[in-house]
Amino acid sequence: MGNLRRVPVGIVGASGYGGVQLVRLLMEHPELELVYLGGESSAGKSFADLYPHLAHLVNLPIEAVEPEVIAHRCEVVFLSLPNGLACQIAPKLLEKGCKVLDLSADYRFSDLVTYTNWYGTQRSDQTTAATAVYGLPELYRDRIAEAQLVGCPGCYPTASLLALSPLLKQGLIVPETAIIDAKSGTSGGGRQGKINLLLAEADNSLGAYGVARHRHTPEIEHICSDLAGHEVTVQFTPHLIPMVRGILATVYATLRDPGLVRDDLTTIYTAFYRNAPWVKVCESGVYPQTKWACGSNLCYIGVEVDPRTGRVIVMSVIDNLIKGQAGQAIQCLNLMMGWEETLGLPQLGFYP
């Protein structure tokens, strides 16, 4: 690289868990300089007021969100906002020449009818949405490298799609039989106070939510359909589990060839992800745990075949705040800037 000038970046929506993960990762990135933090409710406060443990490194205020000001100071902007807000800001930033990475659902869909049906927000930025690239590097690396606007995937879709992609791309399963049983730590619910995330409510308990209607369902189906070459419907059920970080997605599907065994699938997955530095396929008979990925940008995948039922079982684990959010966004930016995909991202997790 040899470039002495670091690229100025900003975060809009820096006060949430996604925002603070971005701050941590950006502060450690050798080619990026964090110059702007923005937010509405926290504007005027110091970032250290919100996160005192970062006060020794981050000496930035939370500023009002003014696209003209942001574009003047930043070449790259991360939008870590609730759904329905990024679409109000992104077109203005793009017009000024910024690269934009949206961590909400606003630019995950090229078809805004689908977005409106599931998220309830009417949109008028169809032209902008049509230029967005879905930010899952393991599938769309080349497109991301050419993009100006990236819609970063949700955490559940990231874990689920990395588990399903080789099966769909190579026609190994009957797509309509796919069932995703996924579990997430409480940080996936964000930092705002919610009764179901209180310690007294969530601890010592495990429960499903958003059954048959979770908003990540159409996102998963959209990419699955793209991989399969025809419209695919999947069954997706998320669960809240009493831990802070991590997602485990266990995927079940009927194999087209009941003669395939575990070693065959392990070989297929290893070949599929041979150029994907952030995906680690476990050896036969090894099943990943969420703790392995905690604090890293890695996804661990384990594969099993049940010859009795003719089904494949794929287990995928990620840190929902890193590979499922902030880390993946920086992985996309690395590609957009022509840098190594692993630059500035944690390759070792926190263990134990």
Side-chain angles (χ1 to χ4, degrees):
M1 281 165 278
N3 183 5
L4 296 178
R5 188 188 75 89
R6 299 173 78 192
V7 176
V9 302
I11 304 170
V12 181
S15 62
Y17 289 144
V20 73
Q21 297 305 306
L22 275 171
V23 168
R24 179 173 78 89
L25 295 174
L26 291 173
M27 293 297 290
E28 296 177 349
H29 197 291
E31 295 292 321
L32 301 173
E33 181 181 4
L34 182 60
V35 299
Y36 169 88
L37 298 174
E40 293 294 352
S41 60
S42 53
K45 297 180 180 178
S46 164
F47 190 71
D49 291 338
L50 305 178
Y51 293 103
H53 71 287
L54 297 177
H56 64 295
L57 283 178
V58 185
N59 184 27
L60 288 172
I62 307 292
E63 302 180 46
V65 180
E66 300 177 30
E68 293 270 352
V69 174
I70 299 169
H72 178 70
R73 288 162 52 185
C74 303
E75 292 182 26
V76 176
V77 184
F78 295 91
L79 302 179
S80 183
L81 293 164
N83 301 318
L85 295 181
C87 58
Q88 300 174 25
I89 301 170
K92 300 172 185 176
L93 295 172
L94 292 165
E95 200 174 273
K96 297 290 184 181
C98 294
K99 294 183 185 297
V100 177
L101 297 103
D102 175 28
L103 277 68
S104 78
D106 286 13
Y107 290 107
R108 296 173 188 165
F109 301 92
S110 54
D111 176 14
L112 291 186
V113 173
T114 302
Y115 176 88
T116 298
N117 288 342
W118 284 83
Y119 289 87
T121 301
Q122 293 291 335
R123 302 266 294 276
S124 59
D125 59 330
Q126 177 64 62
T127 303
T128 302
T131 69
V133 174
Y134 191 71
L136 191 57
E138 289 73 19
L139 297 183
Y140 303 114
R141 183 174 287 105
D142 293 342
R143 296 187 205 174
I144 293 167
E146 302 296 324
Q148 194 76 9
L149 171 62
V150 170
C152 299
C155 49
Y156 278 126
T158 295
S160 303
L161 291 168
L162 290 175
L164 275 167
S165 292
L167 302 174
L168 290 165
K169 191 72 173 176
Q170 301 192 23
L172 299 174
I173 59 170
V174 180
E176 292 72 22
T177 65
I179 295 173
I180 303 166
D181 182 293
K183 298 166 180 67
S184 173
T186 58
S187 61
R191 203 184 190 207
Q192 288 185 333
K194 299 171 185 174
I195 290 176
N196 67 308
L197 299 181
L198 293 172
L199 179 64
E201 301 282 337
D203 195 30
N204 295 310
S205 182
L206 174 62
Y209 64 98
V211 179
R213 62 180 187 276
H214 193 277
R215 287 174 166 181
H216 283 168
T217 303
E219 183 183 339
I220 295 170
E221 291 181 343
H222 175 63
I223 304 302
C224 285
S225 300
D226 182 47
L227 291 167
H230 59 85
E231 191 167 337
V232 172
T233 301
V234 300
Q235 197 75 60
F236 168 63
T237 304
H239 303 74
L240 182 69
I241 197 162
M243 62 184 187
V244 176
R245 288 175 179 261
I247 282 183
L248 165 65
T250 304
V251 176
Y252 307 87
T254 300
L255 288 165
R256 291 191 187 276
D257 179 358
L260 288 173
V261 298
R262 178 177 67 193
D263 286 350
D264 296 329
L265 271 296
T266 300
T267 299
I268 289 168
Y269 270 75
T270 301
F272 189 89
Y273 287 119
R274 64 187 180 279
N275 295 320
W278 293 112
V279 178
K280 304 300 177 188
V281 179
C282 299
E283 294 183 7
S284 290
V286 176
Y287 311 133
Q289 302 174 23
T290 56
K291 189 177 285 290
W292 297 1
C294 182
S296 80
N297 197 54
L298 291 167
C299 173
Y300 290 91
I301 292 178
V303 186
E304 186 58 89
V305 171
D306 186 345
R308 188 178 61 85
T309 61
R311 294 193 184 99
V312 60
I313 305 160
V314 186
M315 295 136 283
S316 170
V317 302
I318 62 170
D319 184 319
N320 57 294
L321 296 175
I322 308 294
K323 180 57 176 166
Q325 196 170 16
Q328 183 145 265
I330 292 176
Q331 185 182 348
C332 288
L333 178 59
N334 284 340
L335 291 170
M336 294 165 79
M337 301 299 293
W339 300 331
E340 287 292 328
E341 199 171 322
T342 56
L343 190 65
L345 288 169
Q347 301 186 57
L348 292 173
F350 311 133
Y351 195 92

